[in-house]
Amino acid sequence: MKGILLHLFSISFLLLFTKLASGQSVYRFSPLQKNVLIDEVVEFSSPSPAISSTLPPAILALNFHINDQNEAGGILLKFNERTECTQSILLTVKDGNIQLKDQIQVGADLIVLANYFSKVNQNTGVFIARINMETKLVIWSQLFGSGHPIDTYSAADMYYSRGFLYVLANKSTLVGPTSRDRMSIWKLSENGELSFSLTINNDNKGDVDFGTSIAITPDNNILAVGLSTPINSSVGKIVMCKLSLSGQLQLTRDLVFKDVNGRVQRPDFPFLDINTGNIHIACQAVLGRSDQGMILITMLDSDLNLRTWRDYSPKIHMEDFKIGGGKFLLSGQEPVTNGGTGYGMVGINNLNAIPEIIDYYRTGFESVSIATSSSIVYHNAWQQYLMASRPNKSSESFVNIVERKNDLNGSCAEPFTFSVTKDEVTVNDIGVLHADSLMLGKEPFDFDLTDISFARETICLKTGINENTEAEFILSPNPATRFLNVTHDFENWQDSKIYIYDLFGRVVFVQSIFSESENLDISSLENGLYLVSLQDEKLRKKVVRRFLKMD
């Protein structure tokens, strides 16, 4: 029985890899319910690094409103590895509106963060829930701050800012319910109960603080990152606060970056991610409506010491930042005064800091203003990049999804200019911040999950898959015992190599191609499933098949 289960798992695993190809594809998803108008892209989810033990789908969160009605809510779209929408759900509240701010996968469940506004009594609050999309079952839901004057959190605060979620190994959740006037950190138990709620206050009354991006540091502490800007000032600094898992403030530092002429930059909201023992903060300088500021990406250690950094100048207004596929990933609109003619996807090698993906997508991505949104994610199981964007030139309701299979370029996009510098950055200790307890009202919260249908339209399909690959590449016998014969179109695959991979991605066999039929000696391989790949590095193409070794 164990062998059968392993066999089935292996086949499922290999099916994912046989779909890999070069280039990009672009799809447009539109709700069939025509009065549902998509307002913005919120977040393309990536599984929690501490929790997920399965190979989850990609989930996209959107916000919408009903045309000519005072009704707004969220949308959750689930995608498979072929970028097909397999499930779509509306999140709505009776007699109120919600606006999603973040979502994160936790195994088979999803935790969502949103703001709430009651149309009955004008109460506001922060709504957090854990749901199962497959069953539409609500595990728990809580509304914080509603109707309590002591809590200055409001729907207005959330409308003008982002929110952030992070799930710990013990399945508790950190929340950064971003406000316009303070940094705050909440911690919820696995069951949604509030463990603590803190606000980070600044003794400099002339400074306006807001944030909070949240993550867990490599030494297992909480890191909260936000902004501090003096009133009536055009400059600012990034504020970093390190706290224990119980909420004790341990270290506060700020980060200031300058341009090539030594001028202190005004940072936009900072993004935060952790990768292989390093802390990375990404932030773009604010210049104006028609200009893109430089983007700073830093590397810090657990004590918030600056290890290294780079300044990048891509022609995009950064709307999202993540780490995945060995790269720093950025997405955003081309910034011009009256909107843009495209969206950029950027992938920077996180080891050598060299930009490797610099794509502009133009057809179907035109906007008439800079009030747009996008999100980017790398799906490890599928080995592909996904970028969602909501251009606003058309009055139609839709979201565009870019699917990029690997690092090879396709014809759906065009390259754009990109420069790299290393201007001055300083990190300083600060003693004007302190953490205070924040009293929050809490009450159960009911909301509705209803199905909605979406249509998919192909904007550009350039996957790089050769339609004749089945005829070009045949394995026999399959299953095989001692020898495996590989038959292919020698004219298309000369100067290529045959690679065999095990289920862990390790190369266990490699051989150059000399004829249209190669007889491979596989007697030394252990029984199991393997991938056979024909790869032509010069033409930058490959095809993949699977076979079973069985003595």
Side-chain angles (χ1 to χ4, degrees), residues 103-120:
Q103 52 98 356
I104 188 170
Q105 294 185 50
V106 185
D109 297 337
L110 192 72
I111 296 179
V112 297
L113 170 68
N115 69 318
Y116 164 73
F117 175 78
S118 170
K119 292 185 287 186
V120 176

Side-chain angles (χ1 to χ4, degrees), residues 198-241:
L198 302 172
T199 180
I200 307 296
N201 293 314
N202 196 329
D203 288 338
N204 289 337
K205 300 304 181 182
D207 289 356
V208 177
D209 296 329
F210 61 96
T212 310
S213 295
I214 292 182
I216 293 297
T217 62
D219 61 354
N220 203 34
N221 287 285
I222 299 171
L223 178 60
V225 177
L227 294 179
S228 179
T229 304
I231 296 177
N232 299 323
S233 174
S234 61
V235 299
K237 53 192 175 184
I238 299 170
V239 176
M240 304 174 290
C241 302

